[in-house]
């Protein structure tokens, strides 16, 4: 079966040096299956990981490698090469190439094409976790995002170097999905939205934890709805029952502390939606070993306050343009939610009544009121996916 999601789209694929370059071969295959024309460019370092011959064979096209190649310049100059694509994709993007892009340095073909172009650029970073977390890389990331470059990934996981953390290149199909969303041209194309979802689990000891009944259904529905409008989505989820959303970058966490770190590590973002039911407290000094049932004695747990992720992000530096929180209340819903919006410093609060009679917590429907600086707007009771779609459209209007 021929997939035709990217028919005749001209993709300039820049492959830089890193172990993830092997995934670029699969990406080329996936793009061609979807009808895209792929023009590959290899950096010198990339040639240490994949051969020009395999890249050229898979792309069914010439590979460009050298800035000063006279034949290439005669056939198609580098300026023309940089502008003749519908989209430039850098996958994998090394820390070095990102630094060059952020600094406007152009000392090889790849960096020169990226500086000379007026075509949209999508970047799939890939590097060791320490390199990714280094303030220099994070600065470069913020600069490039401000310049309008879109990012896909990196994913979190184990790395070829034996370490674990964010830095793995996004999977080829996730890159393809981001490209399709880009060309679909939805109202949120080019926007990055971070969403928290699900409960958190706060350990008591290695086998016991404190949790809540959040299913994660509303957060997952919001992630799919904004992705469908073209947004790039980072979905930070606690251990939730609901199925994970498709076409988004997923970060799985357990505790509130981990959720805050994952959210902060995912910035910058244009909008953030905090749909997670974060535990307010964690057990102070959770036991390293399973607590034993002592004869005649009951354990005493002491608690520490968890970070308020919504308030931290709303009041922090580099705050997203739009921050949305939820308020699950059981009485005086509007008054409590309005006060919460002020206290936390977010832009909107979606307030809902979760008293047992409503069937909302864990159910398929929701009954919300949108609280903003303009007042309270009551939405009719509807399915959680309709709430998500309506919210996604409102977010697109606000960011438009
Ligand atoms: O204070 P309360 O828990 O009612 O606030 C709910 C809102 O704040 C939700 O959007 C929730 O995701 C967010 N929140 C958070 N971090 C916390 C507690 C709540 O992000 N520690």
């Amino acid at each position: 079966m021929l997939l035709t999601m990217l028919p005749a789209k001209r993709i300039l694929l820049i492959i830089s040096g890193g172990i993830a370059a092997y995934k670029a071969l699969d990406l080329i295959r996936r793009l061609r299956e979807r009808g895209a024309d792929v023009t590959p460019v290899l950096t010198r370092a990339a040639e240490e990981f994949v051969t020009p011959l395999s890249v050229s064979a898979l792309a069914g096209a010439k590979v460009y490698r050298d800035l000063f190649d006279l034949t290439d310049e005669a056939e198609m100059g580098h300026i023309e090469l940089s502008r003749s694509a519908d989209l430039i994709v850098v996958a994998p993007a090394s820390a070095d190439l990102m630094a060059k892009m952020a600094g406007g340095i152009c000392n090889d073909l790849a960096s020169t094409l990226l500086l000379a172009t007026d075509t949209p650029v999508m970047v799939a970073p890939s590097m060791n976790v320490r390199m990714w977390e280094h303030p220099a890389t994070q600065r470069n990331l913020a600069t490039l995002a401000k310049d309008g470059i879109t990012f896909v990934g990196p994913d979190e996981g184990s790395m070829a170097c034996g370490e674990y953390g964010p830095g793995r290149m996004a999977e080829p199909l996730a890159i393809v999905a981001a490209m399709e969303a880009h060309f679909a041209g939805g109202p949120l194309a080019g926007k990055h939205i971070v969403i928290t979802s699900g409960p958190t689990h706060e350990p008591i000891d290695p086998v016991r934890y404190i949790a809540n009944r959040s299913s994660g259904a509303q957060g997952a529905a919001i992630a799919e709805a904004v992705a469908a409008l073209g947004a790039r989505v980072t979905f930070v989820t606690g251990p939730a029952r609901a199925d994970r959303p498709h076409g988004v970058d997923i970060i799985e966490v357990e505790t509130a502390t981990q959720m805050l770190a994952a959210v902060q590590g995912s910035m910058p973002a244009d909008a953030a939606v905090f749909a997670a039911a974060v535990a307010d407290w964690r057990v102070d000094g959770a036991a390293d070993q399973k607590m034993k049932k002592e004869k005649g004695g009951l354990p005493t747990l002491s608690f520490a306050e968890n970070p308020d992720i919504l308030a931290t992000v709303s009041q922090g530096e580099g705050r997203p343009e739009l921050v949305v929180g939820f308020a699950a209340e059981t009485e005086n819903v509007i008054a409590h939610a309005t006060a919460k919006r002020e206290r936390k410093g977010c832009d909107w609060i979606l307030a809902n009544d979760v008293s047992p009679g409503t069937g909302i917590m864990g159910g398929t429907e929701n009954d919300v009121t949108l609280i903003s600086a303009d007042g309270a707007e009551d939405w009719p009771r509807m399915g959680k996916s309709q709430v998500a779609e309506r919210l996604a459209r409102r977010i697109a209007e606000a960011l438009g």
Side-chain angles (χ1 to χ4, degrees), residues 196 256 274-280 306-311 324-329 340 343-344 349:
T196 69
F274 293 91
V278 184
D280 291 314
N306 265 333
D308 188 318
I309 306 167
L310 170 62
V324 183
F326 275 77
E329 307 286 349
K340 192 166 288 180
R343 200 168 58 242
K344 304 228 185 196
I349 285 267

Side-chain angles (χ1 to χ4, degrees), residues 177-193 195 221-233 246-248 348 385-400:
M179 293 168 70
E180 283 168 353
H182 167 85
F183 286 116
L188 287 173
K191 304 289 183 195
H192 177 213
I193 301 186
I195 295 170
I222 294 167
E224 288 204 334
V226 292
L229 296 189
R232 177 170 75 84
V233 179
H246 295 288
V248 307
W348 297 348
S385 35
Q386 278 85 48
V387 169
E389 281 158 23
R390 188 157 170 172
L391 177 64
R393 285 196 301 275
R394 293 297 293 264
I395 292 174
E397 280 163 30
L399 296 182

Side-chain angles (χ1 to χ4, degrees), residues 15-22 25 42-55 65 92:
I15 304 172
S16 68
I19 186 63
Y22 80 91
L25 298 177
L42 282 179
T43 65
R44 278 270 172 268
E47 289 183 31
E48 301 291 332
F49 294 91
V50 289
T51 71
L53 187 60
S54 36
V55 170
R65 300 151 64 191

Side-chain angles (χ1 to χ4, degrees), residues 144-321:
L144 294 171
K146 220 162 110 234
D147 289 347
I149 283 170
T150 55
F151 286 86
V152 46
D155 291 348
E156 186 171 319
S158 48
M159 310 198 143
C161 54
E163 290 188 76
Y164 185 93
R168 280 165 61 113
M169 188 174 94
E171 292 304 322
L173 281 180
I175 299 175
V176 169
M179 293 168 70
E180 283 168 353
H182 167 85
F183 286 116
L188 287 173
K191 304 289 183 195
H192 177 213
I193 301 186
V194 173
I195 295 170
T196 69
S197 185
T200 63
H201 283 183
E202 307 295 335
I204 297 171
D205 67 19
V207 296
R208 304 181 178 96
Y209 57 83
I210 294 172
N212 60 65
R213 295 186 196 282
S214 164
S215 66
Q218 186 64 83
I222 294 167
E224 288 204 334
V226 292
L229 296 189
R232 177 170 75 84
V233 179
T234 304
F235 183 71
V236 181
T237 178
R241 275 199 319 277
D243 289 342
R244 301 297 179 255
H246 295 288
V248 307
D249 291 332
I250 296 175
I251 305 179
E252 303 266 354
V253 298
E254 295 263 333
T255 66
T257 311
Q258 291 167 355
M259 187 173 273
L260 174 64
V263 166
Q264 288 178 326
S266 306
M267 295 294 161
D270 298 284
V273 180
F274 293 91
V278 184
D280 291 314
W281 310 283
R282 65 178 177 278
V283 175
D284 194 14
D288 293 342
Q289 304 295 332
K290 185 179 170 196
M291 289 162 68
K292 291 287 175 212
K293 217 185 325 176
E294 306 286 351
K295 266 202 197 104
L298 293 174
T300 309
L301 299 179
S302 61
F303 289 91
E305 201 172 329
N306 265 333
D308 188 318
I309 306 167
L310 170 62
T312 307
V313 170
S314 295
Q315 295 163 29
E317 248 178 61
R319 175 197 200 277
E321 189 180 329

